[in-house]
Each structure stands twice: as structure tokens, then as C-alpha cells.
Amino acid sequence: MKPTAGSVLDAYLARGRNVVEEALAHAVPRLGSHPASLHEAMRYTLLLPGKRLRGILVLATCELLKGRWEDALPLACSVELVHASSLILDDLPSMDDATLRRGKPTLHKVVGEANAILAAVGLLNAAYGLIQETPALKDRARVRATARLAEAIGVCGLIGGQVADLEATGKKLDLDTLEYIHSHKTGALFIAAAELGAIAARGGARDTEAVRLYAKNLGLAFQITDDLLDYSGNPGTTGKDAGLDRNRTTFVNLCGIDGARRLTDELIAASLEALSSFGRRAEILAGLADMIRDRDR
Ligand code: GRG
């Protein structure tokens, strides 16, 4: 599939980011709501500038399957709420012990560990609340969306991947184990984003499976590029610490830079292949995959 022209994609991503950010600002209680410290903490990481890729993936998938952005927007926000929650938890001293996130000090550095944990749980809770209030979803779709998100967060998704990652710290891993960790820790939320977009569009089983496969390959490719950026990226551009993975097996130290790039290319090719039945209608998702392969932030 031929990727879409850069300027069209850039405009699409900018519009998606704006729409998602505007909605996110209303998805959590206003500043000053009681207890003020909790709501300040919940808004902090959530509303710092992020790429909003997972939210945009919900919208673009919904659009590909002939749904409307407005119907998918609460689901896009719920995925971004989960993502922000996972970043806060991942950054904690007991996990990555990170100092920089989205170009600013990590939440626990600003509000302390206890409030950072509570804010992360608050965001997660708000994510489920949003799905319940999504007007476009009929009851069965609401249940499916809730179940899919819960599955992606749970022991077979982010939480399971994170535990496996923590247990692997300081150990040398093989490629299968590394893939297991990252397809859970990172890939699961990409897959859920595509599935939630398909649910908002009332997509059929075959189309849903195609976007699921696209997102599965894309999520793993995204993680490999994340490893490449951790190795050689610039914190001024990525907005987060570099070198946090030095004590871990990564795709870069396991496969080398060239090997990691080759693996990324293969996964991006597989993600594009998954879109083949949509033809030119999938230009945006194809362009997004291309952008992820070449990203520097
Ligand atoms: C209960 C939600 C929850 C999680 C518990 C902490 C944890 C389990 C999982 C960690 C998942 C995680 C943070 C994986 C890393 C994924 C990744 C590469 C994040 C960076 O994403 P970007 O670059 O960030 O899209 P921005 O800031 O642009 O949104």
C-alpha cells in the first residue's frame, strides 16, 4: 500500500491531536475541583503535550470502517487516559524511576509517589467511566468496548507485560521473551485502540480482524523504535530520559541497531499488508505506520 503524502498525514495528525486534547481537557474534573491536589495531579501528565497516537488510532480506525470521529471520540479519550495512567506508573521509583516525561518532570517528582499512584488510578477509573457514557454505543457495544479495554490493561496486557519486564531486569532475554513483554506492555493498547475504533464504527468481523492485525504489528514496531530512541534519541526531542533501558535486554542490544531497524521494517510491512483489503481508503493508517518507522520522538 502506498503511504499517503506527508502533508496530508501531518494535517490529519494535527487535527486528531487537537480534537483529542480538547476532549481530554473535559474528560477529567476541572482544576480547583475537590480534592484539588488529586485533580491537579490527574491533569498534569494527561495534558502535557503527547503525540496522542493511540487516540488518533481509535479515530482513524473508526473512520476507515465508515464511522464518525464524534462517535469514537470518548473511546479515543479513554485509551489516552489509560495510556497516561500507564506512563505515570511506569515512571515510578519502583519501576523505571524516570525523571522526565513529555518534556517535564515526572508526576511523582512533582506531587510525590502516593499522589502519583492515586492520580494514575483516578485516570484509569475515568477511562471506564467515559466508555459507560459514550452516547453512540448501544449496550452490547459498550460491554464489548469495556471488556476489550479491561483485557488490554490486565494480566494478558499491560500489567502482565510490565510484571514480566520488571522480572527480566538485569537478565539476558531471547527474542521470543522480549516480544512477549512488549507485545503485552505496549502492543496491547494499540490493538485495543484499533478494536475500540472498530466498535464505534460497528465494523464487521473481517474488517475488525484486519485492523487488529495492523495494530498488533504497529504496536511492536512502535516499541522497537522506542528502544532505538532510548539508545540514541535526544531527550530534548523525545521529552523523556534516554538510557533508562541500559540494564535491560532491548531490541537494540539483542539485535543491534541494523537488526532492530530491519525488524521494524518487517513489522511495518506486515501492518501495511493487513490493510490491503481496504485499498486507498487506508491511506491514513498506512501513512501512520510509515511515520512510526521513521520517527525521532
Ligand atoms: C494499570 C494502566 C496500568 C498499567 C500498569 C505500568 C504498566 C502496567 C505498564 C507500562 C506500559 C508502558 C508505559 C509501556 C511503554 C509504552 C511506550 C513506548 C510509551 C511511550 O509512548 P508515546 O511515545 O508517548 O506514544 P506520548 O508521551 O507521546 O504519549
Side-chain angles (χ1 to χ4, degrees), residues 24-48 81 88 107 111 115-116 118-123 125-126:
L24 281 175
H26 294 98
V28 283
R30 278 196 308 276
L31 277 184
S33 311
H34 186 71
S37 56
L38 173 66
H39 295 121
E40 247 168 69
M42 282 173 68
R43 295 178 79 87
Y44 177 83
T45 304
L46 178 70
L47 299 181
L48 283 173
L81 286 162
I88 294 167
L107 183 59
V111 303
N115 273 358
L118 291 168
V121 177
L123 290 170
N125 204 38

Side-chain angles (χ1 to χ4, degrees), residues 136-176:
L137 296 185
K138 296 231 167 28
D139 284 351
R140 274 189 57 185
R142 197 188 315 279
V143 169
R144 260 182 71 214
T146 308
R148 282 306 301 117
L149 195 65
E151 210 179 303
I153 296 168
V155 292
C156 294
L158 272 69
I159 294 174
Q162 180 77 351
V163 169
D165 195 17
L166 291 172
E167 284 176 1
T169 306
K171 294 186 188 148
K172 182 132 180 55
L173 306 181
D174 60 27
L175 192 56
D176 283 349

